[in-house]
Amino acid sequence: MTSFAENLNRKLEEKQNPSLLGLDPNLSYMPDHLLAQAKAEGKEGADQVASAFLAFNRAILTEVQDIIAAVKFQSACYEQYGPAGMNCLRESLAYAKSLGYVTILDAKRNDIGSTAAAYARASLGTSPLSGTSSGEIEYAAMDADAVTLNAYLGIDGIEPFLQACRVSNKGVFILVRTSNPSAGDLQDLNLADGRKVYEAMADLVAQWGESLDAGQDFSSVGAVVGATWPDQAKELRKRMPRQIFLIPGYGAQGASARDALAGFQAGRGGLVNASRSLMLAWQKEASRGQDFAQATRRAALKMRDDLRSAL
């Protein structure tokens, strides 16, 4: 079987587009007709919202499948609606996979031991249902291709996910240099050896990545590096030559295409995420929302061309 990194890079080459679609829905993002449709089907409360989210996701995924290779789902946007939201997330992931997308669960998991192992099974693998050690009957909760991680607890919190990657050819993206304005409160602190915290994290991620996909250009252990810090991204590429960068911050957060691509090498090595700028394209066009998916397509084509031009 091909590794996560190989599969992702192959699909990015096919699309000739490093865009990553972020499906992080919010109630205010929903066109009125989707909520009305869910209500007409007898849905109420959280079920109504989750039904609208699912219809929204499916329409957008169908519309841009020939443009974009990978999609990221922010788990919190779905979790807030309880079981209905989590079912929506699971169905959205499954639908995306059926269309050939590489799927990323943005959950930023962080724990150790048996808890981290359970998180790994929930996001990437399967959990036993038979009640025996043989695990003959198993349940796949999300079955994403990759998951985002917070490595504050060190290798104890990462190794269970690496093991899941080895077994199932999955991937992880570990927070290194995040795109938010206050990232420097902790990440810019100086260590005794002269490195900053985010540089030390980058060195660990590069080290952990050596345990997967040896001999390949890229590891299935990737790094989250914000587009809002292009100078740092260039330096981090030197520390993490084999990491695929997941790059938030383009578009709504203010980073340009050139900023987002600062950590690329020879035109490869990254996924540039856009969420609101794609999901809310219909609102920017002052549309009533009936053609929201087509508006996302237009925005996705503009983003693709912007990134290609910068490359």
Side-chain angles (χ1 to χ4, degrees):
M1 294 178 65
T2 58
S3 70
F4 168 78
E6 286 180 308
N7 184 46
L8 174 60
N9 280 320
R10 177 178 58 80
K11 293 194 175 186
L12 290 175
E13 288 289 331
E14 290 173 357
K15 306 295 184 188
Q16 289 293 294
N17 179 15
S19 298
L20 172 64
L21 168 65
L23 285 178
D24 311 341
N26 184 290
L27 183 57
S28 66
Y29 302 172
M30 294 298 105
D32 289 340
H33 74 277
L34 294 184
L35 292 164
Q37 177 182 322
K39 185 175 181 180
E41 294 171 353
K43 306 287 178 58
E44 295 181 348
D47 289 330
Q48 181 186 8
V49 175
S51 180
F53 281 6
L54 183 58
F56 184 79
N57 289 350
R58 283 177 169 170
I60 289 176
L61 288 166
T62 302
E63 190 65 35
V64 301
Q65 62 181 303
D66 61 320
I67 303 171
I68 294 177
V71 57
K72 178 180 73 65
F73 297 90
Q74 170 50 256
S75 184
C77 295
Y78 303 88
E79 290 179 28
Q80 66 181 322
Y81 290 103
M86 295 305 291
N87 284 334
C88 170
L89 173 58
R90 186 168 187 263
E91 291 186 43
S92 295
L93 276 161
Y95 187 71
K97 293 185 78 168
S98 76
L99 295 180
Y101 287 94
V102 174
T103 58
I104 301 170
L105 180 63
D106 191 359
K108 300 179 180 68
R109 294 302 187 204
N110 178 218
D111 219 306
I112 59 173
S114 60
T115 308
Y119 275 140
R121 290 192 296 270
S123 54
L124 301 176
T126 59
S127 299
L129 291 177
S130 63
T132 69
S133 59
S134 64
E136 294 175 357
I137 303 174
E138 297 184 328
Y139 173 73
M142 294 300 163
D143 195 27
D145 295 311
V147 64
T148 58
L149 303 177
N150 181 336
Y152 192 79
L153 295 172
I155 190 60
D156 292 340
I158 299 300
E159 181 55 39
F161 291 92
L162 298 185
Q163 182 58 28
C165 292
R166 296 183 190 104
V167 170
S168 305
N169 290 305
K170 301 295 181 76
V172 297
F173 290 94
I174 300 173
L175 300 179
V176 173
R177 181 60 169 163
T178 57
S179 60
N180 56 300
S182 66
D185 291 353
L186 176 63
Q187 295 167 26
D188 283 353
L189 294 179
N190 292 311
L191 301 175
D193 62 7
R195 294 179 298 171
K196 294 186 181 297
V197 168
Y198 75 84
E199 293 173 328
M201 180 56 67
D203 292 344
L204 285 172
V205 169
Q207 175 186 327
W208 296 334
E210 290 302 316
S211 69
L212 286 177
D213 318 321
Q216 296 180 17
D217 290 342
F218 289 98
S219 170
S220 294
V221 178
V224 177
V225 178
T228 47
W229 312 102
D231 292 336
Q232 290 91 334
K234 293 176 184 177
E235 293 301 316
L236 287 170
R237 175 52 70 192
K238 297 174 184 177
R239 292 178 178 271
M240 299 184 290
R242 295 185 62 238
Q243 271 54 59
I244 298 171
F245 287 8
L246 192 166
I247 306 164
Y250 171 86
Q253 293 187 51
S256 68
R258 188 174 296 276
D259 293 335
L261 298 172
F264 275 54
Q265 54 182 4
R268 303 174 68 210
L271 283 166
V272 181
N273 181 71
S275 299
R276 283 172 289 172
S277 57
L278 297 182
M279 289 189 297
L280 295 179
W282 69 273
Q283 294 184 359
K284 294 178 181 178
E285 293 181 1
S287 164
R288 294 181 62 186
Q290 294 292 336
D291 65 342
F292 69 92
Q294 291 77 21
T296 294
R297 180 181 181 84
R298 290 187 286 271
L301 287 169
K302 183 178 180 181
M303 178 182 177
R304 181 197 66 184
D305 294 344
D306 190 26
L307 294 173
R308 284 181 174 177
S309 178
L311 282 171

